[in-house]
Amino acid sequence: MSTRSTGTACRTESGVCMSYGESMTRRITISLPDDVAEYVERSQGTTSGFIADVLRRKMRADGLRARWAEHGYVVTDEDVERARRRLAQQPPITDEQHDRNMEWLRQFGDGDGAAAA
């Protein structure tokens, strides 16, 4: 069973839905390693929606890196991993501090606080 963008189930004998909502622009097929596919299948919502959300997050991160590069700051994957390791060693922040941080980040993002790489 697959789901149309309208949220209604689409069942066919072959298991392939040939009807898409107006917001669907392109259909692609991908192959995933078993562990990744299992993770996606356990997610809430549709597989397409899950993959689209992950890719949009990557697109925002890439856009942020491009803006930083315009100002002379080149951020590599290694830089991000090093920062994640350092952050993992820090004590957790309070909800209030998190809210203040998100408010500060909104000035750099697209309004949803998702500007972080």
Side-chain angles (χ1 to χ4, degrees):
M1 173 172 54
S2 54
T3 304
R4 289 186 245 171
S5 63
T6 58
T8 58
C10 178
R11 296 175 192 237
T12 63
E13 269 186 47
S14 68
V16 177
C17 180
M18 299 307 290
S19 175
Y20 295 101
E22 290 181 21
S23 67
M24 179 68 68
T25 58
R26 192 170 203 172
R27 181 174 188 251
I28 63 171
T29 301
I30 62 170
S31 298
L32 298 171
D34 288 342
D35 62 323
V36 175
E38 289 170 7
Y39 180 79
V40 171
E41 290 169 346
R42 287 191 311 266
S43 71
Q44 299 294 319
T46 66
T47 300
S48 293
F50 179 89
I51 299 295
D53 289 346
V54 169
L55 291 174
R56 284 190 182 106
R57 184 175 179 180
K58 172 77 168 118
M59 290 165 59
R60 283 193 303 267
D62 289 349
L64 182 58
R65 285 184 185 193
R67 286 186 297 212
W68 286 340
E70 290 171 4
H71 297 284
Y73 299 98
V74 177
V75 179
T76 66
D77 289 342
E78 293 79 23
D79 294 329
V80 172
E81 285 306 314
R82 187 171 41 256
R84 285 183 177 149
R85 284 192 303 273
R86 288 183 64 199
L87 287 171
Q89 296 172 355
Q90 301 298 314
I93 63 172
T94 64
D95 290 340
E96 293 80 18
Q97 182 62 49
H98 178 267
D99 292 343
R100 286 193 300 272
N101 292 350
M102 294 306 292
E103 183 63 34
W104 182 81
L105 282 173
R106 283 188 189 93
Q107 68 182 313
F108 305 108
D110 56 7
D112 65 1

